[in-house]
Amino acid sequence: MQALFMRLKTDASLSALLGGAGLLEQASDKAAFPHVTYGRTSAFNLDTGADNDGDQLITLHVWSKAQGEAETRLIMDSIKARLDGAALSIGPRGQTRLSLEFAEARYDEDLAVHHGLLRFRALTQEAA
């Protein structure tokens, strides 16, 4: 997750959309909008369902209070452009390749926010 967030933090266009400090592991009640938070991460083999740390689903959440969902979609598009197909070096373990599996944007009436969800598959290939 650290390598993934570092890749996002170095994206100037995403930082501009988020106003600088909008990448958060976990948002507090006082977090400024818009922002992106970590979501659920699951480690398993998508083909067999067995536990497998080399094959993970990583979820990122986009939160916006802007009128309409345009801001949410712009942030989601920026994250997708930066991560979909990316290869991250994870120390001596090898390389992790990301691919977008699912994306959705909707208005959450209970929270009065636009909520975007991006789910990436992270497949780690061990170093030889």
Side-chain angles (χ1 to χ4, degrees):
M1 291 302 270
Q2 289 175 346
L4 185 141
F5 255 40
M6 284 306 299
R7 184 168 180 90
L8 292 176
K9 285 182 179 185
T10 60
D11 185 322
S13 64
L14 179 60
S15 291
L17 288 169
L18 294 173
L23 290 170
L24 309 169
E25 285 187 45
Q26 189 172 12
S28 70
D29 292 339
K30 296 177 183 178
F33 287 88
H35 60 266
V36 175
T37 58
Y38 284 122
R40 180 178 166 182
T41 299
S42 304
F44 58 91
N45 185 309
L46 292 177
D47 296 325
T48 67
D51 286 346
N52 175 5
D53 285 342
D55 199 354
Q56 300 181 14
L57 289 177
I58 299 167
T59 305
L60 298 174
H61 296 275
V62 177
W63 305 96
S64 170
K65 287 195 172 188
Q67 183 70 27
E69 65 180 43
E71 180 177 66
T72 302
R73 292 223 176 258
L74 281 172
I75 294 167
M76 291 173 66
D77 288 346
S78 183
I79 292 170
K80 178 183 173 185
R82 190 74 171 146
L83 296 181
D84 192 23
L88 306 175
S89 294
I90 313 294
R93 283 191 65 192
Q95 188 177 74
T96 299
R97 184 159 305 276
L98 300 170
S99 61
L100 183 66
E101 293 284 312
F102 176 81
E104 175 184 55
R106 62 184 170 85
Y107 184 72
D108 186 324
E109 291 184 23
D110 293 337
L111 299 174
V113 296
H114 288 276
H115 179 201
L117 186 137
L118 297 142
R119 187 166 296 127
F120 290 89
R121 182 177 183 184
L123 183 59
T124 300
Q125 298 173 333
E126 299 293 330

